């Protein structure tokens, strides 16, 4: 039997009398993770059930990212891999949603003849209706945008959250104009979820067992600028902080230009706000920052970090860095190394510049050779590896409150020991062995003495003693 027939036979065996099944593959940022949950939720309400196996699925959706060229190309490669499956079972709905869907719309349908459905991030609320239309035989691309005053967000479903931690998108889009970035094009203008709605969702998540909520937005600390009520991001944090039963509140991504003292003082001031700040710097050279239109200098950026550390000395910091922006000289790059050295990040995400359509930088010559970009990436990463390890070492011997997420990866994959895993308030992963007869439950806060500092995580043992340093 050839592969296509094999797939068809599997399907015929598995699906007899069963409910329709969906399978979603998620790429990109946490907002896509959140959107995939909402799409799944709307399909479940329409009577579908989830399957982890695309071969068994009646609906396969790729929720995509177009922030760099590589993830965009990956979508086309995945579609090509799914082609035999689709051809063996023409009734399967194959769809692309998310940012690549928004970016290409109808053109993607035209280019990929076996694709049924394309929709953008603003159509998540309509996901089930779109899938149903595609099942009815329509080939459609819906990339309509939500208007600025329209606050229709797909609602959260506490029952769909599998553990004690949950993402919650509180605003969409981005009004910044960073020269290299396609996000404003694919995600549209900033739209904030009203405060009352966010509060209601946080309460419902907590009632459903969630203990830690991560607020999401491409530029999350610009929250509220479009709301008539005058609430800003610091107000939102303060309102959520008062929700009983919530243990930790995180948020990503903050933009340095919108990070003011009011917001930065939330660390250490509000009970639930966890000491973890992702504040992308992108580059250390003022000339490059200006050409990227980031709206701050390296000194201003470092000043924001100093403010956060003044309010909360132990705050963990992470960043994003781009190397090889058009015209970036060796000297410019060395300025990035100096900022990374000065900021002393806990973690860093670094990328080679990738020209994107619909961006201002796409008109500039991508003139840093690929090999040079790769060298700079390695150099900044190895600097950060050293700093990250030094930062992690500060935990040795400390007692940390760990929010238990579940069995550790080693326990899950190799059945090794009674290893549990959770995170410190600073977002560091801690693995620990429970005391005999006292297995923790996901969502518990366990005091753990850190006994080992490993490459990217911590290990320890539960203790009763006083916490702190
Ligand atoms: N809103 C966030 C994150 C945007 S996308 C912010 O303002 O920082 C996530 C990261 O991808 C960015 O921080 C940036 O480091 C990287 N990125 C965005 N566009 C890129 C491009 N064209 N090439 C390489 N990296 C890019
Ligand atoms: Fe992109 Fe800049 Fe907006 Fe971040 S702030 S999403 S990097 S345009
Ligand atoms: Fe990618 Fe879209 Fe997120 S481009 S980073 S999935 S907003």
């Amino acid at each position: 039997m050839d592969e296509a027939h094999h797939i068809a036979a599997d399907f015929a065996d598995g699906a007899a009398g069963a409910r329709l099944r969906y399978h979603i593959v998620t790429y990109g940022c946490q907002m896509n993770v959140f959107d995939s949950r909402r799409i799944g939720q709307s399909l479940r309400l329409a009577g579908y059930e989830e399957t982890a196996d695309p071969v068994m699925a009646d609906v396969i959706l790729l929720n995509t990212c177009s922030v760099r060229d590589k993830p965009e190309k990956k979508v086309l490669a995945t579609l090509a891999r799914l082609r035999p499956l689709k051809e063996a079972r023409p009734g399967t709905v194959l769809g692309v949603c998310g940012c690549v869907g928004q970016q290409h719309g109808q053109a993607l349908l035209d280019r990929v003849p076996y694709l049924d459905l394309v929709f953008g991030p603003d159509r998540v609320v309509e996901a089930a209706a779109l899938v149903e239309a595609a099942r009815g035989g329509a080939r459609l691309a819906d990339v309509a945008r939500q208007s600025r005053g329209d606050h229709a967000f797909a609602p959260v479903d506490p029952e769909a959250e599998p553990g004690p931690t949950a993402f919650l998108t509180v605003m969409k889009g981005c009004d910044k104009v960073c020269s290299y970035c396609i996000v404003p094009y694919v995600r549209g203008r900033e739209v904030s979820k009203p405060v009352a709605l966010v509060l209601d969702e946080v309460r419902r998540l907590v009632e459903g067992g969630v203990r830690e909520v991560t607020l999401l937005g491409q530029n999350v600390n610009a929250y509220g600028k479009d709301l008539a009520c005058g609430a800003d991001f610091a107000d939102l944090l303060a309102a959520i902080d008062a929700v009983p039963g919530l243990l930790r509140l995180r948020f990503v991504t903050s933009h340095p230009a919108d990070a003011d003292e009011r917001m930065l003082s939330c660390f250490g001031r509000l009970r639930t706000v966890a000491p973890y700040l992702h504040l992308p710097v992108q580059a250390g050279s003022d000339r490059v920052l200006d050409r990227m239109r980031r709206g701050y200098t390296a000194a201003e950026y470092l000043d924001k970090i100093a403010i956060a550390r003044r309010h909360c000395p132990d705050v963990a910091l992470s960043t994003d860095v781009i190397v090889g922006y058009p015209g970036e000289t060796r000297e410019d790059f060395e300025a990035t190394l100096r900022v990374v050295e000065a900021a002393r990040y806990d973690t860093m995400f670094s990328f080679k510049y990738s020209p994107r359509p619909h961006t201002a930088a796409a008109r500039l010559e991508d003139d840093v050779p690929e090999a040079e970009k790769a060298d700079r990436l390695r150099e900044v990463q190895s600097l950060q590896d050293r700093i990250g390890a030094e930062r992690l070492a500060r935990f040795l011997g400390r007692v940390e409150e760990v929010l238990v997420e579940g069995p550790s990866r080693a326990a899950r994959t190799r059945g090794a020991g009674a290893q549990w895993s959770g995170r410190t308030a600073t977002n560091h992963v801690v693995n620990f062995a429970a005391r005999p007869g006292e297995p923790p439950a996901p969502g518990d806060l366990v005091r753990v003495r850190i006994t080992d500092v490993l490459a990217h995580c911590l290990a320890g043992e539960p203790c009763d003693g006083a916490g702190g340093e």
Side-chain angles (χ1 to χ4, degrees):
M1 210 186 312
D2 65 27
E3 190 189 5
H5 283 99
H6 194 76
I7 287 168
D10 272 359
F11 174 70
D13 291 347
R19 286 203 288 168
L20 293 168
R21 297 179 175 132
Y22 70 88
H23 177 80
I24 307 177
V25 186
T26 308
Y27 305 92
C29 64
Q30 295 100 324
M31 259 160 282
N32 266 11
V33 175
F34 182 79
D35 286 348
S36 289
R37 288 261 168 83
R38 304 291 74 81
I39 294 167
Q41 185 182 325
S42 77
L43 288 172
R44 283 194 302 281
L45 277 174
Y48 290 73
E49 65 185 8
E50 188 171 15
T51 172
D53 181 0
V55 170
M56 303 303 287
D58 304 279
V59 178
I60 302 173
L61 295 176
L62 307 183
N63 193 7
T64 59
C65 173
S66 50
V67 78
R68 283 170 291 277
D69 188 51
K70 230 196 215 160
E72 188 190 333
K73 290 276 152 52
K74 201 151 63 177
V75 174
L76 294 173
T78 308
L79 283 173
R81 260 206 325 279
L82 290 168
R83 182 177 191 160
L85 201 156
K86 168 70 187 173
E87 285 174 350
R89 292 197 338 251
T92 305
V93 169
L94 183 58
V96 169
C97 55
C99 295
V100 176
Q102 185 72 36
Q103 185 189 346
H104 295 295
Q106 179 66 39
L108 194 60
L109 271 192
D110 295 343
R111 175 168 173 185
V112 184
Y114 51 92
L115 188 61
D116 304 293
L117 175 64
V118 174
F119 62 95
D122 274 5
R123 307 320 296 160
V124 165
V125 248
E126 305 286 337
L130 291 168
V131 165
E132 285 292 298
R135 273 184 27 85
R139 287 189 83 219
L140 68 160
D142 186 347
V143 291
R145 287 204 193 278
Q146 211 167 31
S147 68
R148 205 163 160 85
D150 176 358
H151 291 122
F153 284 85
V156 302
D157 172 11
E159 284 173 19
E161 300 305 330
T165 63
F167 290 140
L168 180 58
T169 294
V170 295
M171 63 173 298
K172 308 200 286 199
C174 179
D175 284 1
K176 295 277 188 278
V177 287
C178 304
S179 61
Y180 50 82
C181 184
I182 196 173
V183 168
Y185 178 78
V186 286
R187 291 269 167 166
R189 301 291 306 272
E190 287 170 3
V191 181
S192 304
K193 215 182 242 188
V195 179
L197 183 53
V198 176
L199 279 176
D200 180 57
E201 293 190 325
V202 172
R203 282 193 200 104
R204 288 196 298 117
L205 286 170
V206 171
E207 279 162 20
V210 167
R211 295 289 165 262
E212 173 183 304
V213 172
T214 302
L215 308 180
L216 304 179
Q218 278 300 347
N219 184 7
V220 75
N221 55 332
Y223 175 88
K225 285 186 179 174
D226 59 319
L227 291 177
C229 67
D232 68 4
F233 187 59
D235 295 325
L236 181 72
L237 292 177
I240 297 174
D241 189 60
V243 173
L246 180 70
L247 298 180
R248 284 181 184 166
L249 184 55
R250 304 188 191 281
F251 47 87
V252 280
T253 295
S254 306
H255 193 292
D258 292 321
D260 55 12
E261 176 111 27
R262 242 171 80 69
M263 173 216 153
L264 294 168
S265 69
C266 291
F267 296 108
R269 179 164 60 82
L270 296 178
R271 170 186 72 91
T272 57
V273 172
Y276 170 79
L277 175 63
H278 181 58
L279 199 67
V281 68
Q282 312 297 3
S285 146
D286 288 345
R287 194 181 71 94
V288 173
L289 285 170
D290 182 53
R291 296 175 65 233
M292 287 178 162
R293 305 189 192 154
R294 286 292 287 178
Y296 52 83
T297 63
E300 284 163 350
Y301 173 89
L302 288 172
D303 197 42
K304 310 265 178 180
I305 284 187
I307 296 172
R309 287 209 163 110
R310 199 171 68 236
H311 287 283
C312 180
D314 197 43
V315 67
L317 287 172
S318 72
T319 198
D320 294 348
V321 162
I322 297 176
V323 299
Y325 184 76
E328 185 190 70
T329 61
R330 175 74 206 173
E331 211 179 356
D332 290 324
F333 172 65
E334 283 172 6
T336 298
L337 294 177
R338 282 197 297 279
V339 166
V340 169
E341 185 81 63
R344 298 197 55 75
Y345 297 112
D346 290 74
T347 40
M348 178 184 76
F349 304 88
S350 48
F351 312 99
K352 289 185 273 188
Y353 168 71
S354 160
R356 305 308 291 135
H358 313 289
T359 63
R363 292 193 290 273
L364 307 173
E365 193 195 340
D366 182 17
D367 59 356
V368 178
E370 181 57 29
E372 182 64 32
K373 284 183 187 169
D375 281 349
R376 289 181 192 178
L377 192 69
R378 267 194 298 274
E379 198 171 339
V380 73
Q381 282 172 345
S382 70
L383 171 63
Q384 177 54 36
D385 283 349
R386 170 175 66 73
I387 295 168
E390 287 166 10
R391 294 280 295 154
L392 208 53
R394 77 189 190 277
F395 288 98
L396 192 64
R398 267 168 59 163
V399 173
E400 289 290 313
E401 287 202 316
V402 174
L403 183 73
V404 179
E405 290 177 14
S408 66
R409 191 177 302 184
R412 283 195 315 259
T413 55
R414 300 195 295 276
Q419 287 286 314
W420 294 85
S421 188
R423 281 172 196 266
T424 62
T426 49
N427 212 25
H428 291 91
V429 173
V430 179
N431 294 324
F432 63 97
R435 290 188 176 139
E438 290 177 40
D444 285 354
L445 264 188
V446 175
R447 299 167 67 74
V448 175
R449 183 174 302 281
I450 306 301
T451 52
D452 274 305
V453 175
L454 307 166
H456 294 286
C457 68
L458 304 166
E461 52 202 33
C463 67
D464 302 315
E469 304 340 61

